[in-house]
Amino acid sequence: QVQLVESGGGLVQAGGSVRLSCEASGDTICISAMGWYRQAPGKERELVARITSSGKTNYADSVKGRFTGSRDNAKNTMYLQMNSLKPEDTAVYYCNAETTLPSGSGCYALRKGMDYWGKGTLVTVSS
């Protein structure tokens, strides 16, 4: 089991910045990619940024150039630096961890395990 706890959300004015954190605990050894997703009122959850274990990051087009995702694997923590925020960025932001199956004392590279989710943190951007 992996537990994910997000922090850093709140109310910010348009044009401002917020930094979100996601700390993973539990059976973290087999975490592969981690990602940030968001869900705005009345909308489906969408990918914001996904970071592989090697640090390669993919972003949604709507946040490219404004948001930066990063991971500190030693601390089992992922971050999302959000700059130039817009009212349309208002959403609950969720942390996601993808895992691979355990193999002896390690983990399979490609055999997918469970996905885990945090409870989310609300970011509200006022105009």
Side-chain angles (χ1 to χ4, degrees), residues 4 11 41 43 45 47 51 63 67-69 77 80 101 104 108 125-126:
L4 301 172
L11 176 65
K43 295 188 177 181
R45 191 173 297 188
L47 173 68
I51 310 170
V63 307
F67 291 9
T68 302
T77 302
L80 185 67
L101 293 177
Y108 284 103
V125 184
S126 63

Side-chain angles (χ1 to χ4, degrees), residues 69-91:
S70 61
R71 288 174 65 172
D72 184 335
N73 292 329
K75 295 182 179 180
N76 289 319
T77 302
M78 176 177 65
Y79 305 95
L80 185 67
Q81 179 65 43
M82 307 162 63
N83 299 328
S84 302
L85 283 161
K86 305 175 181 179
E88 51 263 44
D89 294 318
T90 295

Side-chain angles (χ1 to χ4, degrees), residues 5-20:
V5 178
E6 302 98 336
S7 61
L11 176 65
V12 61
Q13 289 188 332
S17 297
V18 167
R19 189 192 195 207
L20 304 183

Side-chain angles (χ1 to χ4, degrees), residues 13-54:
Q13 289 188 332
S17 297
V18 167
R19 189 192 195 207
L20 304 183
S21 299
C22 171
E23 183 174 0
S25 61
D27 295 332
T28 61
I29 188 173
C30 291
I31 290 178
S32 53
M34 295 184 73
W36 289 99
Y37 291 72
R38 68 185 180 186
Q39 187 166 18
K43 295 188 177 181
E44 294 188 352
R45 191 173 297 188
E46 62 175 1
L47 173 68
V48 176
R50 180 178 180 270
I51 310 170
T52 67
S53 56
S54 62

